[in-house]
């Protein structure tokens, strides 16, 4: 199956998601959060850096649970204008 290239907005949304997750992780180590979410640290690193701009719903749900943030918070924050400062988790 051929994957349709992502639009510029989809790539930007992935970058915003990654930045939000990185911010929510705070001082916790990537290894710890990835383990709590049942992911490899490399998968979490790809999401946080925007190199995996369209992670699956279940992956994001697991990361959100590991970070103790709601999916609703992520949806609202990802839809915000990037010039607005990141939320305080």
């Amino acid at each position: 199956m051929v994957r349709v290239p992502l639009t510029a907005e989809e790539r930007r949304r992935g970058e915003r998601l990654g930045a939000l997750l990185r911010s929510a992780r705070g001082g916790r180590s990537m290894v710890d959060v990835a383990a709590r979410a049942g992911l490899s640290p490399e998968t979490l690193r790809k999401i946080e850096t925007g190199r995996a701009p369209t992670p699956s719903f279940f992956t994001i749900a697991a990361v959100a649970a590991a970070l103790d943030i709601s999916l609703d918070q992520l949806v609202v924050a990802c839809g915000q204008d990037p010039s607005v400062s990141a939320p305080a988790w």
Side-chain angles (χ1 to χ4, degrees):
M1 177 190 296
V2 177
R3 185 174 228 183
V4 177
L6 298 174
T7 66
E9 177 52 33
E10 288 169 327
R11 285 191 301 277
R12 285 191 298 273
R13 187 177 57 222
E15 291 168 357
R16 284 194 307 270
L17 172 65
L20 290 165
L21 293 176
R22 199 170 38 255
S23 172
R25 183 165 55 86
R28 293 175 273 192
S29 79
M30 186 177 289
V31 172
D32 178 53
V33 172
R36 289 184 63 196
L39 306 171
S40 72
E42 183 59 22
T43 298
L44 183 56
R45 183 182 342 277
K46 286 179 181 177
I47 294 168
E48 285 189 358
T49 60
R51 288 184 14 234
T54 58
S56 75
F57 170 80
F58 295 104
T59 298
I60 293 305
V63 174
L67 294 171
D68 200 28
I69 57 177
S70 76
L71 292 174
D72 289 336
Q73 287 175 301
L74 282 178
V75 168
V76 169
C78 279
Q80 285 182 347
D81 182 320
S83 64
V84 176
S85 62
W89 304 106

